[in-house]
Amino acid sequence: MRLYHNPLSSNARRVLLTASHLGIKLEDVLIDFGSESDRKRLNEVNVCGKVPVLEDDGFLLWESCAIMQYLADKSGATDVYPAGLKQRADINRWMFFAAQHFAPAIGILTWEYLWKKLVTGLGPDPVEVKKGEELVHEHAAVLDQHLAARQWMSGDTLTLADFAVAAPLMYLGRAKIPVEQYTHLQAWFERIQQLPAWQQTETPWPF
């Protein structure tokens, strides 16, 4: 299987975490968004022009959470993605929460503090920063309350939900993500960072 990705993408990080945890070897196709030829190649495998994209024997799959689920199902990893209806629904709930709410809120801050200067030459917009911070607080409070009496996002063990929620926190310090006050969320993220999969998928930052 081949994975088109960029190591600085938290969406790609979700997939890399899953593959690492499951011991799945993926052929890396690194996409440099500053390269016209790389962007053209990416558009050929994903009409949305975004990473990650999984290629498996001619089957092309995009959307990070869908790829995570595909890898778990293909490898029979029922520990991280159980087949039980309610168990799977709960995991899916938090994966969707991560994709629809938590990651986009963090994405506002990553754009303002990390990518905007590189792309436009402009500095952070205080209005957008405030908007991002407010959204992060809103969703981090939900996560903190949920994690107050549990070790993992869904059930009693690590699941795909944990990887989906954790991946955007790879930008924690660089994007000034305001989650210091959420002690249960912080304790959970400490557990995530101790996982071999997290440590194996860390990449040096070029700036």
Side-chain angles (χ1 to χ4, degrees), residues 9-144:
S9 162
S10 65
N11 289 333
R13 183 77 177 273
R14 288 175 176 152
V15 175
L16 294 172
L17 285 165
T18 303
S20 176
H21 181 77
L22 299 179
I24 298 173
K25 301 297 182 183
L26 299 173
E27 178 187 341
D28 285 334
V29 180
L30 299 180
I31 299 297
D32 177 1
F33 288 102
S35 164
E36 183 177 346
S37 61
D38 279 14
R39 292 198 308 273
K40 180 179 179 181
R41 186 177 188 186
L42 180 60
N43 285 326
E44 291 172 352
V45 295
N46 182 1
V47 294
C48 299
K50 297 180 179 181
V51 294
V53 182
L54 182 74
E55 182 178 357
D56 184 16
D57 194 25
F59 173 57
L60 293 171
L61 182 63
W62 36 271
E63 291 299 325
S64 59
C65 289
I67 298 172
M68 294 168 70
Q69 293 167 347
Y70 180 83
L71 293 177
D73 281 338
K74 181 163 183 172
S75 62
T78 55
D79 54 339
V80 296
Y81 199 42
L85 179 63
K86 291 182 179 179
Q87 290 172 296
R88 182 161 286 199
D90 188 55
I91 293 168
N92 290 343
R93 179 230 309 273
W94 291 108
M95 294 181 79
F96 292 145
F97 178 89
Q100 293 289 335
H101 302 295
F102 196 48
I106 290 175
I108 296 173
L109 298 179
T110 59
W111 168 252
E112 292 299 325
Y113 285 122
L114 294 177
W115 316 126
K116 187 176 182 180
K117 185 74 172 179
L118 294 175
V119 176
T120 69
L122 301 175
D125 179 342
V127 174
E128 286 299 301
V129 168
K130 182 180 179 182
K131 175 184 175 182
E133 290 176 344
E134 289 175 349
L135 287 172
V136 168
H137 282 301
E138 177 184 342
H139 304 313
V142 172
L143 292 170
D144 195 62

